[in-house]
Amino acid sequence: MKTLIIGANGKIGSKLASKLKNSAHPPVLMVREQKQVEEYKQQGYETVLGDLEKDISHAFDGVEAVVFAAGSGADTGQDKTHLIDRLGAKKAIDEAIKHKANRFILLSVLGADKDP
């Protein structure tokens, strides 16, 4: 089952990619920068260039599962959080449905900014 990892360059996304690399669920890594595409391809990963603020439909071709591990980051404002974490996630869900992916996992966290 081919698995698209959105946010593959992040901490969780890169760990998941490593675990899936030689499994029955080969990952397709979606990253935002061309240099990341080249780096991951050299490591043997199928990689696509994609930006959640733009059209990402091409990333879903042939994908059966999607893991949304992207996030706007701790150093961005509420505008980017809304664009990436909310609208980007919705866009990814809509594309997964359109491309008939049969699994979608959205990674999220609540309260990470609070002291334990």
Side-chain angles (χ1 to χ4, degrees):
M1 177 183 320
K2 203 175 207 183
T3 304
L4 176 64
I5 303 174
I6 300 173
N9 198 52
K11 291 178 185 174
I12 294 172
S14 61
K15 287 182 182 187
L16 178 60
S18 176
K19 293 208 178 276
L20 292 180
K21 186 175 184 184
N22 296 311
S23 76
H25 310 289
V28 177
L29 312 186
M30 187 174 116
V31 295
R32 285 181 304 188
E33 298 176 15
Q34 186 62 44
K35 74 175 193 170
Q36 295 167 329
V37 171
E38 301 310 320
E39 289 170 9
Y40 282 117
K41 282 187 176 182
Q42 286 178 358
Q43 295 174 40
Y45 289 101
E46 182 177 345
T47 310
V48 295
L49 188 62
D51 184 333
L52 288 167
E53 295 181 55
K54 298 176 182 171
D55 178 29
I56 57 170
S57 61
H58 63 283
F60 292 77
D61 292 340
V63 167
E64 299 169 86
V66 178
V67 176
F68 188 92
S72 60
D75 298 327
T76 61
Q78 287 295 326
D79 59 332
K80 283 293 184 188
T81 299
H82 179 73
L83 281 170
I84 302 302
D85 299 16
R86 183 166 187 244
L87 298 180
K90 182 179 180 330
K91 183 188 295 187
I93 291 166
D94 291 344
E95 288 297 335
I97 291 168
K98 190 185 311 178
H99 286 82
K100 298 184 179 0
N102 53 18
R103 289 178 174 69
F104 191 98
I105 298 170
L106 184 133
L107 303 177
S108 186
V109 65
L110 182 63
D113 58 336
K114 309 280 188 261
D115 286 332

